[in-house]
């Protein structure tokens, strides 16, 4: 049966290109040696593959092979860069500079360092109303640098609004001031020309799964000349990667990473133009169909301001979560609160000064290599129809009306166990079973289950199953549609289970829920 879903969340992750898979396959079953075991041919063949991949990646970003350190992904690369610099002895100070719209993989390590006594300055970007919305003014970096500034960290392209920072100018400023510059280039490598010398960066993080390569592998560029950057390792063990990142190298992933970058660079000019045309088609189509639509981030033209596959829009008078639930076949990301550990709406959109209601009504479209004009036309129809229906419902009632229609089932076996517990614990008549979502993210949901004496029909959905009254708060009900609460009684394990069809959906980099 063909998959009728349409994937437009390519800033979160990408489908692995079949050509990348072909390059990787021999290293699973034929050339499977440990690259650290160079005393035999299996190991030396694996090491040769790693060396070729390292050289290829280095050439792609204008570095030397010795300056490429393999990691598990950009999050690890960011942590190694930021903490590696600050934890190295004989640094010049305790002051760090970054930007309010950085990815959490940069902001969270900085926050941790702030709790340890470092001073962190987060710079603002151009706000709502500016054609360069989301873009950093390099002069702010110059003004913020002090004698005790040890590191500046600025991403090249933003993961939510696609804003491209003038990093070469930031690099020039940092070089003149003798301050190290780290760049999270996760969203940029493979989508635009990236050269570490032209940008004058000292450290640069990037990842495979954002550019049609496998998950679980990334890289950190570490400058070795003018200056020679020295880091404190964060993982100790076998001393791999020059002692900076211990652990057996992921040979298939590294080979796939290099092949993915090669393909991106080979097709870069034509693909940038194709994606920009698809994005314009999507934007124009939605503007023609949907009123009160707002573009978040910089203008779409020139392409120097914004990634060609990025489109972030707000739909006034619509709740983002309700909109997502109306478009189950379309995978995009929402700026509204999600089911991750951090329930706050998009920190990026809020930093741009966008109205809170519009932040919660935003969608991020990430167009990629495998999207077509047909996909775009279907997306336009899907979004326009969903927005129209929700606006008819009215802003205040959307989530409650939707939630009241969500089906959450209690199995007969689970109901029997609930009644047994109520009787055993001698709970009051009228006791209800309360079910909810306590948290979650990429790895799945965390559920709450307990007993309550009361409920509110305005905020709770109520179900009666096999003599048990079950209530679900209507926020949780949005993510429990189709869930069956069952009870498992095995030899080694017993307890309530949740069969939730929504749990297979993915979130956008841990910051949004694509249901």
């Amino acid at each position: 049966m063909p998959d009728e879903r349409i994937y437009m969340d390519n800033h979160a992750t990408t489908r692995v290109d079949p050509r990348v898979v072909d390059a990787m396959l021999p290293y699973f079953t034929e050339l499977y040696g440990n690259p650290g075991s160079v005393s035999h041919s299996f190991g030396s063949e694996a090491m040769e593959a790693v060396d070729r991949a390292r050289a290829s990646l280095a050439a792609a970003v204008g570095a030397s092979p010795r300056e490429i350190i393999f990691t598990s992904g950009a999050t690890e690369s960011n942590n190694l860069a930021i903490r590696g610099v600050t934890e190295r002895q004989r640094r010049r100070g305790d002051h760090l500079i970054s930007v309010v719209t950085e990815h959490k993989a940069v902001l969270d390590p900085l926050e941790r360092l702030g709790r340890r006594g470092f001073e962190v300055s987060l710079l603002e970007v151009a706000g709502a109303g500016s054609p360069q919305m989301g873009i950093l003014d390099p002069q702010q970096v110059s003004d913020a640098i002090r004698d005790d500034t040890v590191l500046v960290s600025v991403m090249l392209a933003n993961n939510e609004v696609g804003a491209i920072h003038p990093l070469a100018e930031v690099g020039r400023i940092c070089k003149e001031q003798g301050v190290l510059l780290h760049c999270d280039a996760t969203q940029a490598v493979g989508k635009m020309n990236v050269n570490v010398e032209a940008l004058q960066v000292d450290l640069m993080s990037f990842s495979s799964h954002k550019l049609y390569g496998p998950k679980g592998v990334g890289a950190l560029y570490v400058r070795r000349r003018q200056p020679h950057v020295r880091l404190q390792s964060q993982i100790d063990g076998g001393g791999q990667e020059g002692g900076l990142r211990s652990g057996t190298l992921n040979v298939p992933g590294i080979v796939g990473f290099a092949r993915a970058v090669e393909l991106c660079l080979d097709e870069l000019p034509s693909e940038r133009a194709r994606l920009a045309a698809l994005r314009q088609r999507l934007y124009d189509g939605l503007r023609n169909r949907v009123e009160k639509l707002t573009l978040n981030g910089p203008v779409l033209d020139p392409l120097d301001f914004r990634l060609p596959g990025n489109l972030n829009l707000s739909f006034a008078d619509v709740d983002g979560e309700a909109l997502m639930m109306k478009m189950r076949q379309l995978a995009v990301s929402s700026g509204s609160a999600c089911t991750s550990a951090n329930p706050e709406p998009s920190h990026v959109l809020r930093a741009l000064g966008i109205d809170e209601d519009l932040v919660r009504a935003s969608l991020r479209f990430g167009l990629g290599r495998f999207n077509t004009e047909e996909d775009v036309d279907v997306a336009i129809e899907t979004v326009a129809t969903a927005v129209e229906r929700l606006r008819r419902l009215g802003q205040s009632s959307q989530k409650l009306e939707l939630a009241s229609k969500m089906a959450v089932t209690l199995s007969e076996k689970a109901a029997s166990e609930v009644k047994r517990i109520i009787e055993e614990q001698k709970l009051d008549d009228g006791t209800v079973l309360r079910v909810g979502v306590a948290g979650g993210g990429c790895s799945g949901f965390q559920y709450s289950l307990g007993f309550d004496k009361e409920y509110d029909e305005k905020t709770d959905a109520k179900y009666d199953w096999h003599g048990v009254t079950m209530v679900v708060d209507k926020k949780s009900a949005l993510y429990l549609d189709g869930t069956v609460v069952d009870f498992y009684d095995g030899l080694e394990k017993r307890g309530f289970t949740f069969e939730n069809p929504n749990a297979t959906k993915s979130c956008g980099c841990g910051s949004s829920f694509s249901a």
Side-chain angles (χ1 to χ4, degrees), residues 454-467:
E454 55 187 32
Y455 62 92
D456 188 340
E457 292 187 357
K458 293 182 179 180
T459 58
D460 291 322
K462 172 177 168 290
Y463 310 91
D464 291 305
W465 296 106
H466 310 292

Side-chain angles (χ1 to χ4, degrees), residues 129-415:
S130 168
Q132 298 189 39
M133 186 195 311
I135 297 177
L136 174 70
D137 180 356
Q139 185 60 41
Q140 288 196 74
V141 177
S142 180
D143 295 342
I145 290 177
R146 310 185 318 210
D147 291 341
D148 62 341
T149 302
V150 62
L151 180 69
V152 174
S153 181
V154 180
M155 64 176 18
L156 181 49
N158 185 266
N159 55 297
E160 293 199 35
V161 296
I164 299 173
H165 293 308
L167 205 70
E169 180 62 15
V170 174
R172 182 191 65 78
I173 292 169
C174 290
K175 189 72 68 179
E176 290 178 353
Q177 297 290 333
V179 177
L180 296 179
L181 173 61
H182 165 252
C183 171
D184 179 353
T186 305
Q187 296 290 342
V189 173
K191 301 171 187 174
M192 56 185 287
N193 289 316
V194 177
N195 184 286
V196 295
E197 292 300 331
L199 297 175
Q200 300 191 64
V201 296
D202 301 297
L203 299 147
M204 188 176 77
S205 308
F206 53 114
S207 182
S208 167
H209 78 104
K210 305 292 188 181
L211 41 83
Y212 314 101
K215 297 174 179 62
V217 61
L220 176 67
Y221 159 76
V222 183
R223 182 177 290 277
R224 293 181 63 89
R225 47 192 162 73
Q226 298 180 328
H228 184 167
V229 178
R230 300 185 183 277
L231 303 176
Q232 180 66 46
S233 65
Q234 301 298 305
I235 300 176
D236 299 320
Q240 289 88 346
E241 297 301 274
L244 287 181
R245 204 278 183 179
S246 292
T248 301
L249 292 173
N250 174 7
V251 179
I254 289 169
V255 169
F257 188 8
R259 181 59 177 147
V261 172
E262 290 169 0
L263 291 171
C264 284
L265 295 186
D266 288 345
E267 301 169 3
L268 186 59
S270 60
E271 182 66 358
R272 280 178 60 83
R274 190 186 75 88
L275 289 177
L278 284 181
R279 177 180 65 186
Q280 194 65 49
R281 185 186 186 96
L282 177 60
Y283 185 45
D284 291 344
L286 288 172
R287 280 197 302 174
N288 290 335
R289 291 287 306 276
V290 180
E291 296 181 349
K292 295 187 287 184
L293 181 149
T294 304
L295 175 67
N296 300 321
V299 292
L300 304 187
D301 188 30
L303 289 182
D304 292 343
F305 284 177
R306 189 171 190 147
L307 291 172
N310 174 273
L311 186 64
N312 193 306
L313 301 171
S314 288
F315 302 83
D317 303 326
V318 170
D319 181 90
E321 294 179 39
L323 181 56
M324 299 279 282
M325 297 302 294
K326 281 286 189 181
M327 307 187 305
R328 289 185 174 275
Q329 297 304 104
L330 179 63
V332 294
S333 286
S334 171
S336 71
C338 64
T339 58
S340 68
N342 180 9
E344 291 298 312
S346 163
H347 72 282
V348 172
L349 298 185
R350 296 174 82 180
L352 300 183
I354 297 172
D355 180 82
E356 188 81 10
D357 288 339
L358 290 180
V359 171
R360 296 181 181 276
S362 66
L363 293 181
R364 180 191 68 181
F365 300 84
L367 299 171
R369 178 176 297 169
F370 301 105
N371 287 128
T372 64
E373 289 187 352
E374 182 181 3
D375 291 341
V376 169
D377 292 342
V378 172
I380 293 168
E381 180 64 31
T382 301
V383 174
T385 300
V387 170
E388 180 182 358
R389 289 175 178 173
L390 289 175
R391 282 177 175 168
R392 283 204 304 265
L393 289 174
Q395 174 72 8
S396 62
S397 62
Q398 287 169 20
K399 289 168 71 174
L400 298 184
E401 195 274 346
L402 270 175
S404 65
K405 296 181 179 179
M406 301 297 162
V408 184
T409 306
L410 187 70
S411 73
E412 186 172 359
K413 190 172 183 180

Side-chain angles (χ1 to χ4, degrees), residues 26-99:
Y27 296 91
F28 287 107
T29 59
E30 300 170 26
L31 306 172
Y32 50 83
N34 185 328
S37 303
V38 293
S39 59
H40 52 69
S41 61
F42 288 89
S44 59
E45 288 169 347
M47 180 54 75
E48 289 170 4
V50 170
D51 289 342
R52 288 193 299 270
R54 196 188 305 272
S56 177
L57 288 171
V61 298
S64 72
R66 295 180 65 199
E67 293 175 315
I68 299 297
I69 305 299
F70 288 115
T71 66
S72 64
T75 295
E76 183 187 343
S77 295
N78 288 336
N79 275 265
L80 176 56
I82 295 168
R83 296 169 62 181
V85 167
T86 56
E87 294 176 7
R88 181 82 181 182
Q89 292 184 350
R90 302 203 328 240
R91 61 178 184 271
R92 92 180 216 173
D94 292 335
H95 179 231
L96 306 166
I97 298 173
S98 192
V99 185

Side-chain angles (χ1 to χ4, degrees), residues 105-127:
V106 166
L107 294 178
D108 284 356
L110 291 175
E111 182 181 0
R112 178 186 291 269
L113 289 170
R115 295 195 298 267
R116 290 172 47 189
F118 286 80
E119 184 178 351
V120 180
S121 297
L122 296 180
L123 307 180
E124 301 291 334
V125 295

